[in-house]
Amino acid sequence: MSQAPNFYFNSSTEKPYLIITAVEAEKEALQRGLGGDNRFVLAAAGVGPASAAAGTAAALAAADYRLVISAGIGGGFAGRAPVGSLVIADALIAADLGAETPDGFISVDELGFGSSHIAAEPELSARLAEALHAAGHRVTTGAVLTVSTVTGTAETADRLVRRIPGAAAEAMEGYGVAVAAAGRGLPVLEIRAISNPVGPRDRSAWNIKDAMKALESAGALLTEVLP
């Protein structure tokens, strides 16, 4: 069962920024980085694209916002985003939304039933990536893939990279957040701190502690980058 969104409200008279995470630990890391900046509202909406979309939609129905941010930890693709680094999305992509056929995967775009791609707000994404780089963080800009099942084999990771060459990271919520934001005509960002490589499920290769520290750092820079 998905958890109900846990909102952290501010008292600003301006429209705030909404940040959606999957779990409380991610939200708490960002709160530490934000340092009480009351321009931001945070919600832990649950794991997966459905919970993310529902939680985001609920928050957007309750108040007005000027930007929505999907943020948390995720997997990094080999050669693109190493463990401990940060990925700023230029596109939020539903990587497994489509149909399986004998000849391979067909995306929902190819099926003619909609789009699996939502672009991130380009100017703010670029400014955040530049600020992170200037602060000494390892940062990559690229597509963040949203999946309902986390990749656990090298074969699946290779298929994703071949099908979506710009893929930098994999997570489970971004596209759901973006769909809800798009429904309100709002721009979206996605920030992923890399906790593990995308591929064979090897817990010894994970570093959640450093990923959370990177996420906290990203939160601190958001206060400087966003107007």
Side-chain angles (χ1 to χ4, degrees):
M1 180 180 296
S2 63
Q3 63 189 44
N6 183 359
F7 298 109
Y8 169 73
F9 289 103
N10 69 31
S11 58
S12 174
T13 57
E14 295 183 354
K15 288 183 181 179
Y17 303 104
L18 176 64
I19 301 179
I20 299 290
T21 68
V23 299
E24 288 291 324
E26 294 166 327
K27 188 182 82 168
E28 290 166 2
L30 285 161
Q31 284 176 337
R32 290 192 296 272
L34 293 169
D37 190 320
N38 65 4
R39 294 174 298 158
F40 296 87
V41 172
L42 291 87
V47 174
S51 292
T56 305
L60 295 178
D64 292 329
Y65 297 91
R66 47 181 162 166
L67 173 73
V68 183
I69 303 170
S70 175
I73 64 175
F77 283 95
R80 291 281 283 152
V83 172
S85 70
L86 288 157
V87 172
I88 307 301
D90 59 15
L92 296 79
I93 300 177
D96 52 12
L97 185 60
E100 186 178 21
T101 77
D103 297 320
F105 178 83
I106 299 177
S107 72
V108 69
D109 311 68
E110 296 170 288
L111 292 169
F113 296 146
S115 177
S116 60
H117 293 59
I118 295 179
E121 204 292 319
E123 181 180 350
L124 291 178
S125 295
R127 283 170 54 188
L128 180 57
E130 289 168 6
L132 287 165
H133 180 73
H137 296 286
R138 293 175 295 173
V139 59
T140 301
T141 300
V144 177
L145 310 189
T146 299
V147 295
S148 295
T149 301
V150 173
T151 297
T153 68
E155 292 77 14
T156 299
D158 289 343
R159 282 198 301 271
L160 287 170
V161 170
R162 287 197 302 270
R163 185 157 55 79
I164 309 170
E170 172 188 274
M172 301 181 75
E173 293 80 31
Y175 181 79
V177 172
V179 167
R184 293 275 178 164
L186 293 173
V188 66
L189 299 179
E190 184 168 10
I191 303 166
R192 290 292 160 184
I194 303 305
S195 59
N196 58 278
V198 176
R201 191 171 176 82
D202 177 9
R203 293 298 295 267
S204 67
W206 293 16
N207 191 333
I208 293 176
K209 181 179 179 180
D210 281 357
M212 289 296 186
K213 288 182 179 177
L215 191 61
E216 181 178 338
S217 297
L221 281 171
L222 278 175
T223 67
E224 301 176 14
V225 169
L226 297 183

